[in-house]
Amino acid sequence: MAAAVAAIAGVMSAASAVEVKYMLWDSMQAPAYRQCAADFSRKHPGITIKLMQYGWDDYWTAVSMGFISDTAPDVFTNHLSKSSEFVKNGLLLDLTPYIRRDQVDMGQFAPALVQIWGRGGKQYGMPKDFDTIGLIVNLARARAAGVTLAELQNMDWNPVDGGSFERIVRRLTLDRQGRNASSPAFDARNVAVYGYQNPGSGGMMGQTEWSHFAVSTGFRYQDQPWSQPFYYDDPKLAQTLDWLAGLSAKGLSAPYQFTRSMGSDAMFVAGKAAMIPQGSWMITYFAANAKFENAWVPLPRGPQGQRATMLNGLADSIWSGSRVKEQAWQWVKYLGSRDCQQVVASYGVTLPAIQGMPELAVAAIRSKTGADAGAFLQMAREHTFLAPITDNAAQIDDVMKGAMEAVLLGRQRAAPALKAANEQVNQLLAPPRR
């Protein structure tokens, strides 16, 4: 009799369970979060999690259409490039009252990962992971060129002659006759393997494309998140971009038009580029797809003697229109807990936000794929900086993408292109005239 009552109670509980819709874009992370969802539902039998995963482009279309049609997911993985517009339009729930009520320890996260998701004393996202930038190198190509791993791990760079970084890139670059770019006979018009490949224009952030070079010279986007003016007209950034644009003329990188169509990741996997910059979120991709020995190494030291990397982080946000805000908060709180982030770390796909968890993730990555992701932890201990955070981010990104492309295509020198773009950017942020 007792068993029958318990069974009936279980059925009634399941039937009355509140459903929280949760959306994310990364298919490689989905299994870890399905496990978190299963664990959460066992602890909260009155709440079920409906996990939905879409690719990057479809994901943001689905989120935006959901806002318009009043069917958005209750909780979704948020990105800094999108969040400022959501905050501006009142689409995100302020988590601060819930954090205070439940006494969530936000000190368990690196301070920057909390800061980037806050504005005006309000918190719009619970940190879930973080990423830094490193270089992935074709070690087979490096060995053939006589370049050691120690050399790759200790490169320096400057925008005048490229430093030891450019000298190594020359050694890694091969023309179709097998001559490297250090040889006087090197044919820059007929390159078989490019030593380095810039991923693209980078828009307003340049996360993998140019930010690490520029900031290592002393460039900064803005004084602090949400502040103005922007400093895209800084001569340090112009000098950095002119150097990057000049690599293709030397035959060290493919022309921007070629990269735009093929992509630097595909070039590396195909053996057409010996070294590219990428983020820690791509570790498992290259482990699965690069069929040759490779290694992650830290970014080169810049003119100021420091390596620099953007420290970015995703967060879980709650839609302000959710009809199940309390249950959504319970799920978000769990996503930011040690229990869930330890599960995520064990899957070895991304670096969780709670301090101490990234080391567990790196160990899991090494165990599962053989890849050594320690370079990303090293970069996290170097000079880190935040992505630019501002209102009107979509319009600013369009302006900066156009300017960067003009420079990389060789249509304009960087200084005048950036000066004009920076004026547009700051006009977009200027208060309206009365």
Side-chain angles (χ1 to χ4, degrees):
M1 181 69 178
V5 171
I8 292 170
V11 170
M12 291 177 65
S13 175
S16 61
V18 173
E19 181 181 84
V20 173
K21 293 188 292 183
Y22 177 53
M23 192 180 290
L24 73 166
W25 66 76
D26 190 343
S27 61
M28 293 188 292
Q29 293 187 44
Y33 286 106
R34 286 195 185 95
Q35 181 63 56
C36 283
D39 295 342
F40 172 82
S41 291
R42 278 194 292 271
K43 296 178 181 181
H44 300 80
I47 308 173
T48 62
I49 306 300
K50 181 180 180 181
L51 190 148
M52 300 170 286
Q53 182 267 320
Y54 296 83
W56 175 265
D57 291 331
D58 291 337
Y59 179 86
W60 293 110
T61 299
V63 170
S64 298
M65 292 303 295
F67 290 149
I68 294 169
S69 62
D70 202 32
T71 58
D74 303 293
V75 180
F76 64 99
T77 300
N78 207 347
H79 193 278
L80 286 174
S81 66
K82 307 290 184 179
S83 65
S84 64
E85 298 299 321
F86 298 157
V87 170
K88 181 180 178 181
N89 291 302
L91 296 168
L92 303 183
L93 184 69
D94 175 21
L95 305 181
T96 307
Y98 299 91
I99 292 169
R100 290 175 178 167
R101 183 195 70 189
D102 293 355
Q103 299 182 332
V104 176
D105 178 16
M106 300 302 283
Q108 66 187 325
F109 307 109
L113 299 180
V114 178
Q115 178 189 7
I116 56 179
W117 291 100
R119 185 182 189 184
K122 297 181 178 181
Q123 190 71 26
Y124 294 105
M126 179 68 72
K128 69 188 288 101
D129 59 24
F130 79 91
D131 53 71
T132 58
I133 308 302
L135 295 167
I136 188 167
V137 184
N138 183 328
L139 276 186
R141 173 88 284 280
R143 288 201 181 95
V147 177
T148 67
L149 184 58
E151 287 180 283
L152 292 164
Q153 292 170 331
N154 290 282
M155 294 182 289
D156 59 65
W157 171 84
N158 68 75
V160 178
D161 62 16
S164 66
F165 174 77
E166 184 170 325
R167 292 194 293 275
I168 286 174
V169 168
R170 288 179 177 276
R171 292 162 65 187
L172 296 177
T173 303
L174 282 183
D175 68 15
R176 298 190 184 281
Q177 299 301 315
R179 299 167 296 212
N180 74 29
S182 298
S183 167
F186 173 72
D187 185 356
R189 295 168 299 178
N190 291 286
V191 179
V193 180
Y194 295 99
Y196 177 76
Q197 192 55 56
N198 178 45
S201 74
M204 68 180 286
M205 294 175 61
Q207 183 176 11
T208 61
E209 296 84 359
W210 48 262
S211 65
H212 42 92
F213 288 124
V215 173
S216 75
T217 70
F219 166 75
R220 70 184 191 281
Y221 299 89
Q222 59 191 145
D223 292 324
Q224 60 186 12
W226 302 102
S227 73
Q228 49 182 292
F230 273 78
Y231 303 116
Y232 289 116
D233 58 351
D234 188 332
K236 298 183 185 72
L237 178 57
Q239 196 174 21
T240 298
L241 288 176
D242 280 335
W243 172 80
L244 270 175
L247 292 179
S248 62
K250 300 172 185 175
L252 305 180
S253 287
Y256 177 69
Q257 303 93 307
F258 181 80
T259 320
R260 188 167 53 180
S261 60
M262 186 175 183
S264 58
D265 296 341
M267 289 178 65
F268 182 80
V269 169
K272 298 297 184 183
M275 178 165 55
I276 64 169
Q278 240 323 344
S280 51
W281 62 88
M282 291 293 285
I283 296 167
T284 52
Y285 169 83
F286 287 112
N289 291 283
K291 306 301 183 184
F292 46 81
E293 190 178 5
N294 57 75
W296 291 99
V297 300
L299 296 165
R301 293 181 180 87
Q304 296 189 327
Q306 289 183 307
R307 298 181 172 95
T309 180
M310 186 176 289
L311 179 68
N312 196 24
L314 303 181
D316 289 305
S317 295
I318 299 176
W319 172 39
S320 61
S322 170
R323 296 169 182 81
V324 291
K325 291 184 178 67
E326 179 60 36
Q327 293 84 354
W329 160 246
Q330 294 301 326
W331 171 233
V332 165
K333 182 170 67 171
Y334 187 75
L335 287 168
S337 71
R338 298 188 71 84
D339 285 348
C340 178
Q341 295 211 0
Q342 191 159 4
V343 168
V344 173
S346 73
Y347 275 73
V349 176
T350 188
L351 305 178
I354 292 179
Q355 298 182 65
M357 294 296 174
E359 289 77 7
L360 297 180
V362 166
I365 290 166
R366 185 181 293 111
S367 174
K368 292 173 182 291
T369 70
D372 183 356
F376 294 106
L377 296 185
Q378 180 179 347
M379 289 307 306
R381 296 189 290 269
E382 300 280 348
H383 174 59
T384 62
F385 56 93
L386 301 179
I389 303 174
T390 182
D391 291 323
N392 301 326
Q395 298 97 311
I396 291 172
D397 191 60
D398 285 341
V399 170
M400 294 313 303
K401 181 180 179 182
M404 299 296 179
E405 286 191 338
V407 175
L408 294 173
L409 287 166
R411 294 173 181 165
Q412 278 188 281
R413 294 285 292 179
L418 292 176
K419 183 177 184 297
N422 196 61
E423 289 175 356
Q424 286 184 263
V425 166
N426 288 324
Q427 286 171 4
L428 284 168
L429 296 172
R433 293 180 180 178
R434 293 183 177 179

